[in-house]
Amino acid sequence: MADIIELGPAYAMSPVLAGFLGAGVLVLVVVVLVLLWSFCQRRSLCASGRYKLHGDRYGAAEDPPYKFIHMLKGISIYPESLSGSKRIVRGLRRADRSARDGRGGARGGVGRGPALVDAENNILDVPGQLQMSHLVPPAADQRRPDGAATPLEEPPPGLGAVSLTVDYNFPKKALVVTVVGARGLPAMDRQAGSSDPYVKMTILPEQKHRVKTRVLRNTLEPLFNETFTFYGVAYSALPDLTLHLLVLSFDRFARDDVIGEALVPLRGVDPRTGRVHLSQDLSKRNMQGEGRGELLASLCYQPVSHRLSVVVLKARHLPKMDITGLSANPYVKVNVFYGRKRIAKKKTHVKKSTLDPVFNESFIYDIPPELLPQISVEFLVVDFDRTTKNEVLGRLLLGLHSPAPSGAAHWREVCENPRRQISKWHDLNEY
C-alpha cells in the first residue's frame, strides 16, 4: 500500500495542463454555438421571405434593412423610411446607362429604354425624362381641349431645375425637407457627356443647418429622394427662412464643379395641410463683388543665413461665393516652386466668417542665393467648407516669371534689397 501511495502522484495530470485543456474546450464550445446561431438566423431570414429580391427591388412585405442617418455638428437629421417608390434609384441609373448605349429602344420606345415601376407595378418614369408623378397629386385633366394627349413636359432650358417637398412636424417642432431630384442638368464631364450630381442645402439666414445628399453617378436626371428633418425650427419662423440649394458635380481628382444654385423662400408656404411640392430653376452661381479681392504679403531674404521669410498679413474685399451673401471662411496656402516643381507647401489658420481676414503668419524657407531667379511663391486664398471641397477664391504668384507685372516687380525688389522686409498689396486673380 505504501508503494501505491508513492507512485500515484507521478501519474497525476499537471494543474497547468488541465487548465489549458479546459480553456480550449470552452473556446471550442463557444465557437460552435456562435456558428450554429448564425446558421439558424440565416435560415430563418431566408424562410420568412422578408427581404426577398425581385429583380432590382425589395419585396413589398417590409422596408429594406437600412436607413440613411445624417449627423452634422451635433444635430441629428433622420430621413424618413424609404417607401416603395424610393426603391428605383438603381433602376433609374441602369436605365440611363441602357439609354446611352442604345439598348433600351425595343422595350420602351425608340431610345427610351425600359419604364421604371414601383412596388405596385405603377409606371413612375422613363429614362431621359424625370417626371415626379409619384409625388405630385394627379392633375384633373391631362388632355387638351381638342382631345389630344398633353405631351411630356420638356426640361427647362439652361441649367435645369431642382424639385423638393416641404412639410412640418408639429409634435416634434421640426421642419421636414425632401430633396426629390433634379432634371435638365448640363454635362460637366464633356467626354462622358454626363455628371455626378449631388445637392448641398443650407437654411438661411441662420446658416445653422448644412446638409448634403449622396452622389449619384453618371446621370443628368438624378433622383435623390432624401429627407432631412431639422429639429428646433419654430413654425412661426418659417416665413423668414429661405432654403439655399447648391447643385454640384463630384470630381475625384479636382474641385467639384458648381452646376447652379437656387433660392427657395418659405414665405407663403403653408405645410399645415400636408407636403408642399416645389420646383425651382437653377441659376448660375453669382460671385458677388468685383474682382477677387486683394492680399497683403511681405517678403524678406537673408543672404547670410540663406533664408526667405514670407509673411501673409491680411486680405480684403474677398468675393461672396453665392447669391446669399454668405461670408467666407478663408485661409491661405503658400506654395514655393523651383521652376515648375513645388518644393514646399504650408498654410495659415482658417478665419471664420469674414471677407477681410487678418492672418499675420510667417513662414521661413532655406533657399541658396543662386536659386533665387528660379524661385516663385504662390498664394492661394481658399474658402474652407466643412461639407464639400474647399474652393479657391483667388491666386497670387510672386516671382520673376509672374504673369502680373506687380508680382515680378515685387520679387525683383526683394532680391535687390536683402535684409529688408518689403510689403505690397496685390490683386488676386482667378485660379
Side-chain angles (χ1 to χ4, degrees):
M1 179 65 66
D3 295 337
I4 296 176
I5 295 176
E6 292 177 358
L7 294 175
Y11 294 94
M13 183 180 294
S14 172
V16 177
L17 181 59
F20 277 112
L21 289 177
V25 172
L26 180 61
V27 171
L28 182 61
V29 170
V30 172
V31 171
V32 171
L33 290 177
V34 170
L35 291 177
L36 288 176
W37 179 84
S38 301
F39 180 74
C40 293
Q41 290 292 327
R42 186 170 301 177
R43 289 196 61 182
S44 63
L45 184 63
C46 295
S48 62
R50 289 181 299 172
Y51 304 127
K52 288 183 179 179
L53 291 177
H54 300 278
D56 287 329
R57 55 187 177 86
Y58 286 91
E62 188 172 324
D63 286 338
Y66 59 84
K67 181 179 181 181
F68 291 103
I69 299 178
H70 296 260
M71 299 295 295
L72 180 64
K73 296 182 179 179
I75 302 171
S76 299
I77 305 167
Y78 299 94
E80 298 176 351
S81 299
L82 299 179
S83 62
S85 62
K86 299 178 183 180
R87 300 168 188 159
I88 63 171
V89 177
R90 288 180 294 176
L92 174 65
R93 294 166 61 185
R94 187 172 58 259
D96 287 342
R97 194 179 305 113
S98 299
R100 289 197 305 269
D101 296 340
R103 297 192 297 265
R107 291 187 179 181
V110 178
R112 284 192 176 274
L116 302 178
V117 297
D118 60 6
E120 290 76 22
N121 293 325
N122 297 319
I123 297 179
L124 299 179
D125 195 13
V126 292
Q129 185 74 22
L130 180 60
Q131 301 292 330
M132 305 299 177
S133 57
H134 60 293
L135 294 177
V136 182
D141 189 5
Q142 296 293 335
R143 291 183 173 271
R144 295 184 306 209
D146 56 2
T150 303
L152 292 175
E153 182 184 356
E154 294 294 332
L159 301 177
V162 62
S163 301
L164 67 152
T165 65
V166 177
D167 198 0
Y168 191 81
N169 190 323
F170 287 93
K172 297 182 179 180
K173 296 182 180 180
L175 176 65
V176 182
V177 180
T178 300
V179 180
V180 179
R183 56 192 177 94
L185 299 181
M188 294 290 103
D189 188 347
R190 302 297 181 184
Q191 295 181 352
S194 185
S195 298
D196 299 326
Y198 67 95
V199 178
K200 185 175 72 171
M201 182 172 60
T202 307
I203 298 182
L204 304 178
E206 298 177 352
Q207 306 176 35
K208 289 183 179 180
H209 309 284
R210 294 194 177 196
V211 297
K212 66 177 180 178
T213 67
R214 65 193 184 280
V215 177
L216 296 184
R217 302 286 185 177
N218 300 323
T219 177
L220 301 179
E221 311 284 336
L223 184 64
F224 300 104
N225 276 333
E226 291 197 42
T227 301
F228 303 92
T229 303
F230 304 98
Y231 296 93
V233 179
Y235 179 78
S236 58
L238 290 185
D240 300 327
L241 301 181
T242 300
L243 301 179
H244 175 241
L245 294 97
L246 188 65
V247 182
L248 305 100
S249 179
F250 176 77
D251 193 330
R252 186 180 300 276
F253 304 104
R255 300 191 311 276
D256 294 348
D257 299 316
V258 177
I259 298 177
E261 64 181 350
L263 284 177
V264 182
L266 298 184
R267 182 179 299 275
V269 176
D270 188 5
R272 285 181 295 183
T273 58
R275 288 187 177 183
V276 179
H277 301 263
L278 303 171
S279 179
Q280 185 71 30
D281 293 339
L282 296 175
S283 59
K284 186 177 180 181
R285 194 174 193 184
N286 184 16
M287 304 288 291
Q288 290 191 352
E290 297 182 0
R292 295 277 175 164
E294 299 176 273
L295 179 68
L296 178 60
S298 178
L299 284 79
C300 177
Y301 185 71
Q302 300 289 343
V304 177
S305 58
H306 299 173
R307 288 188 174 181
L308 175 66
S309 172
V310 178
V311 182
V312 181
L313 296 172
K314 56 184 177 180
R316 64 187 180 189
H317 309 318
L318 295 180
K320 298 176 182 178
M321 297 305 294
D322 47 52
I323 60 178
T324 63
L326 300 179
S327 297
N329 300 315
Y331 69 94
V332 179
K333 293 176 64 175
V334 182
N335 300 319
V336 178
F337 291 87
Y338 175 68
R340 295 188 176 183
K341 181 180 180 180
R342 185 173 66 180
I343 59 176
K345 60 176 182 178
K346 295 182 179 180
K347 64 180 180 179
T348 67
H349 293 86
V350 178
K351 301 299 178 180
K352 297 290 186 178
S353 302
T354 178
L355 299 178
D356 300 290
V358 178
F359 300 102
N360 283 333
E361 298 187 38
S362 61
F363 307 98
I364 305 297
Y365 305 95
D366 293 327
I367 298 177
E370 62 272 12
L371 300 183
L372 279 181
Q374 301 299 323
I375 294 295
S376 58
V377 182
E378 180 187 51
F379 301 86
L380 296 178
V381 183
V382 185
D383 178 26
F384 174 78
D385 197 321
R386 190 179 300 275
T387 57
T388 58
K389 291 184 180 180
N390 301 334
E391 190 164 355
V392 178
L393 302 178
R395 176 178 182 261
L396 169 64
L397 183 64
L398 301 183
L400 296 181
H401 305 288
S402 172
S406 59
H410 190 177
W411 184 258
R412 190 179 301 108
E413 189 173 352
V414 170
C415 296
E416 295 174 354
N417 298 273
R419 295 178 295 275
R420 179 182 171 187
Q421 202 79 27
I422 300 177
S423 306
K424 288 184 180 295
W425 282 99
H426 296 274
D427 292 331
L428 295 172
N429 300 316
E430 185 175 359
Y431 179 62

